[in-house]
Amino acid sequence: MPIEMNLMAVPETSLENIKVAASHAMALLQCRNSLRELGITAEVFHDTAGAARALSQTRELDRAAIAPEVAAELYGLKILKKNMEDARHNTTRFLVLTTEGRVVAPAPDVPCVTSFVFRVKNVAASLYKALGGFATNGVNMTKLESYIENGVFASTFFYCDVEGRPNDPGLKQALIELEFFATKLEILGTYPMDPFRLSEGQR
């Protein structure tokens, strides 16, 4: 889902008056270049909508909030600058999880993404060997994130997104090769590729 951040303030002020903008730490991080260009100091708040609500109560003329457009509508604020996010592709993703054993698979002609986690030993070249099969089998990996397990460096978990389904010949072989080098492999699910991802891939 595309995420758009907006700089908003009370209707009585203007962009030239703004010295400080409050928002959630992640939102501020996503807008840091825009804030720097405007000469506005970032201030961390516990959430984006909360920053907008607080501003609507204090009515300070030199302060702003960074939040979604709906927050301006809810709290009677004026949007001073839209699309404050530095990256045009600024997005987030929501996952729907189920404990049900039977899940309806996407239609065969629908492009899909498969998500999985795996663990490798903390030895030289373990990750390189574990992921080599994706390159040799032509599988596009779109996300790779690492997580230290239990706060120690003895082993590391990795979260991956790849294009395709586990039964596709290329991905099937890549997972077999990964399993050979990994100490654990768990497929979290396969789901339809979002149209936004498809459109970005065609650029």
Side-chain angles (χ1 to χ4, degrees):
M1 175 182 292
I3 299 297
E4 296 179 355
M5 295 296 178
N6 303 282
L7 186 71
M8 56 192 67
V10 293
E12 299 81 11
T13 194
S14 62
L15 181 59
E16 294 73 22
N17 296 329
I18 303 302
K19 300 293 187 292
V20 177
S23 192
H24 187 273
M26 187 56 66
L28 294 173
L29 186 64
Q30 294 169 357
C31 302
R32 62 185 181 277
N33 291 335
S34 296
L35 289 171
R36 188 182 302 116
E37 290 173 3
L38 294 171
I40 297 175
T41 301
E43 182 179 282
V44 176
F45 204 83
H46 55 78
D47 66 74
T48 54
R53 181 177 63 248
L55 181 59
S56 71
Q57 295 169 347
T58 62
R59 316 296 297 180
E60 295 172 87
L61 300 180
D62 62 345
R63 296 177 65 87
I66 292 178
E69 185 175 359
V70 66
E73 298 172 3
L74 282 173
Y75 300 115
L77 301 177
K78 176 177 66 175
I79 294 180
L80 302 178
K81 192 174 190 305
K82 287 191 172 186
N83 302 117
M84 285 286 290
E85 64 276 4
D86 298 329
R88 177 180 54 81
H89 58 274
N90 192 39
T91 58
T92 192
R93 181 171 58 175
F94 298 92
L95 300 181
V96 179
L97 305 179
T98 179
T99 58
E100 298 294 329
R102 298 179 61 185
V103 179
V104 178
D109 60 339
V110 174
C112 287
V113 173
T114 295
S115 297
F116 59 91
V117 292
F118 68 95
R119 183 197 294 124
V120 295
K121 294 180 180 179
N122 189 26
V123 297
S126 60
L127 181 60
Y128 172 80
K129 294 175 182 177
L131 297 182
F134 294 92
T136 56
N137 288 284
V139 177
N140 186 28
M141 181 173 291
T142 59
K143 181 186 283 289
L144 175 64
E145 295 179 347
S146 62
Y147 300 91
I148 300 300
E149 189 176 12
N150 298 323
V152 297
F153 292 92
S155 65
T156 304
F157 256 111
F158 291 90
Y159 170 88
C160 291
D161 287 344
V162 294
E163 294 181 358
R165 305 162 187 255
N167 288 331
D168 293 346
L171 181 52
K172 183 176 182 179
Q173 184 60 37
L175 290 172
I176 290 173
E177 295 181 33
L178 169 61
E179 200 163 18
F180 181 80
F181 293 105
T183 60
K184 180 178 181 178
L185 170 62
E186 183 175 351
I187 296 177
L188 302 178
T190 299
Y191 44 92
M193 190 180 298
D194 189 270
F196 180 79
R197 186 193 292 262
L198 284 170
S199 64
E200 287 298 298
Q202 295 170 356
R203 292 181 185 275

